[in-house]
């Protein structure tokens, strides 16, 4: 009788061990798939933004969210994917990626939500401000990415990626800000 209990116990332990191994293998497959899809997403985003991204160094959530807005048409006062203006775009992205509520107008974003920084100190996620009208006050805002690239809602082409070295942005540059 004692021998039979040990044999039954051994069968139970073997079954539990097999289940444990199966669970470990399945978890390993899932994490491998996730790592592969993350690498694929990073490659796609790198291509879309024209910059080399790294999962370890860059905020992939920021790039992914911005990418989902690319091509959204411009609409004055808009805050949705059916139409958005520059400050509505920045406000929406910041809420989703950083869970921060920013002011609704670009001039207020600079005045209330940011600390001014030098252009040479720009980091991913900083805001870039431009004065595109006759007044020398900021009336346009975008989100800095890296390597001189930023994303913004253009009144002529909707949400898009641009380069700070483009003549238009050199001529209309106002300042940069780091969200507090």
């Amino acid at each position: 009788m004692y021998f039979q209990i040990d044999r039954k116990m051994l069968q139970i332990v073997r079954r539990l061990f097999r289940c444990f191994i199966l669970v470990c293998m399945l978890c390993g497959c899932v994490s491998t798939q996730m790592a592969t899809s993350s690498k694929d997403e990073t490659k796609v985003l790198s291509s879309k933004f024209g910059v080399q991204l790294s999962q370890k160094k860059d905020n992939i959530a920021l790039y992914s969210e911005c990418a989902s807005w690319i091509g959204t048409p411009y609409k004055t006062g808009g805050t949705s994917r059916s139409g958005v203006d520059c400050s509505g775009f920045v406000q929406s992205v910041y809420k989703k990626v950083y869970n921060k509520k920013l002011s609704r107008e670009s001039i207020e974003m600079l005045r209330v939500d940011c600390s001014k920084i030098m252009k040479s100190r720009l980091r991913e996620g900083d805001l870039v401000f431009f004065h595109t009208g006759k007044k020398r006050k900021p009336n346009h805002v975008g989100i800095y990415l890296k390597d001189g690239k930023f994303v913004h809602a253009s009144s002529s082409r909707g949400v898009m990626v641009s380069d700070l070295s483009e003549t238009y942005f050199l001529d209309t540059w106002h300042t940069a800000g780091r969200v507090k």
Side-chain angles (χ1 to χ4, degrees):
M1 175 123 170
Y2 181 74
F3 180 74
Q4 289 177 338
I5 293 173
D6 281 342
R7 184 189 260 173
K8 286 182 182 179
M9 197 64 126
L10 186 60
Q11 288 175 340
I12 291 171
V13 169
R14 283 182 179 160
R15 285 183 185 150
L16 286 172
F17 184 71
R18 287 182 193 136
C19 287
F20 174 75
I21 295 297
L22 181 62
V23 167
C24 288
M25 288 172 56
L26 289 173
C27 288
C29 291
V30 169
S31 64
T32 301
Q33 289 172 347
M34 288 173 59
T36 302
S37 67
S38 294
K39 286 179 185 176
D40 291 345
E41 179 186 19
T42 303
K43 285 181 183 178
V44 168
L45 292 171
S46 292
S47 175
K48 186 169 250 179
F49 289 103
V51 295
Q52 185 61 45
L53 297 177
S54 162
Q55 291 176 324
K56 293 180 181 178
K57 295 180 183 177
D58 297 303
N59 184 344
I60 301 302
L62 172 65
Y63 288 90
S64 183
E65 180 63 16
C66 289
S68 73
W69 285 86
I70 299 288
T72 299
Y74 182 87
K75 179 181 178 187
T76 303
T79 58
S80 73
R81 293 179 195 270
S82 62
V84 69
D85 64 16
C86 63
S87 58
F89 166 68
V90 169
Q91 186 184 49
S92 296
V93 169
Y94 253 79
K95 180 66 178 156
K96 175 91 182 226
V97 175
Y98 300 106
N99 199 28
K100 290 188 177 185
K101 183 168 175 38
L102 300 182
S103 301
R104 182 59 183 91
E105 295 180 9
S106 55
I107 195 166
E108 290 301 307
M109 284 180 184
L110 177 59
R111 192 177 66 78
V112 175
D113 304 321
C114 291
S115 300
K116 285 185 181 182
I117 58 170
M118 295 171 43
K119 196 179 206 178
S120 61
R121 301 263 184 211
L122 277 168
R123 293 191 314 219
E124 183 182 81
D126 287 339
L127 302 185
V128 288
F129 296 91
F130 305 89
H131 51 266
T132 61
K134 292 180 182 178
K135 297 180 181 177
R136 307 274 305 164
K137 294 181 180 181
N139 62 345
H140 187 65
V141 62
I143 302 172
Y144 185 75
L145 300 172
K146 66 187 292 186
D147 300 338
K149 306 281 188 194
F150 71 102
V151 61
H152 62 117
S154 158
S155 59
S156 60
R157 295 177 52 197
V159 178
M160 62 181 288
V161 179
S162 294
D163 197 299
L164 291 174
S165 65
E166 294 173 32
T167 304
Y168 179 78
F169 297 111
L170 289 172
D171 291 344
T172 60
W173 173 260
H174 186 80
T175 194
R178 183 154 301 141
V179 175
K180 299 174 188 171

